[in-house]
Amino acid sequence: MKSIIYQKLSNYFKPEVLEVINESDKHSNHSGSPNTGNSHFFVKIKSKRFEKKKLIESHKMIYKTLDSEMKEFIHALRIEIMK
């Protein structure tokens, strides 16, 4: 699942920096977590596509890019947009 997220973000944003980290193990007893081992992710990204965008707009772009994954397996997504 991590590779799917990485590939989709990489293809769309052509980032200078991209890290995708599976943090599901930190949330294994979290209420509402599906406990699949592929549900909580951290994304650190820097892309020219975020230039002159508000932070909320950048986050929305990422959520739109990962729309099907958000519906299928991502329970939580932590995002750091680098400027």
Side-chain angles (χ1 to χ4, degrees), residues 27-75:
H27 303 275
S28 59
N29 294 319
H30 172 221
S31 177
S33 176
N35 292 317
T36 61
N38 285 300
S39 59
H40 292 70
F41 294 89
F42 169 63
V43 170
K44 183 175 185 177
I45 188 169
K46 180 177 183 178
S47 171
K48 293 187 187 299
R49 288 189 181 254
F50 299 133
E51 289 179 4
K52 300 180 183 177
K53 301 274 189 213
K54 292 182 181 180
L55 186 60
I56 189 75
E57 292 173 309
S58 298
H59 280 235
K60 286 180 179 180
M61 291 168 69
I62 290 172
Y63 281 113
K64 184 176 181 180
T65 303
L66 298 175
D67 183 59
S68 61
E69 289 73 21
M70 294 297 297
K71 291 174 183 171
E72 290 178 39
F73 63 86
I74 298 176
H75 179 71

Side-chain angles (χ1 to χ4, degrees), residues 8-20:
K8 286 188 94 169
L9 294 176
S10 183
N11 288 344
Y12 184 78
F13 293 103
K14 309 291 188 229
E16 299 161 50
V17 175
L18 178 58
E19 291 179 45
V20 178

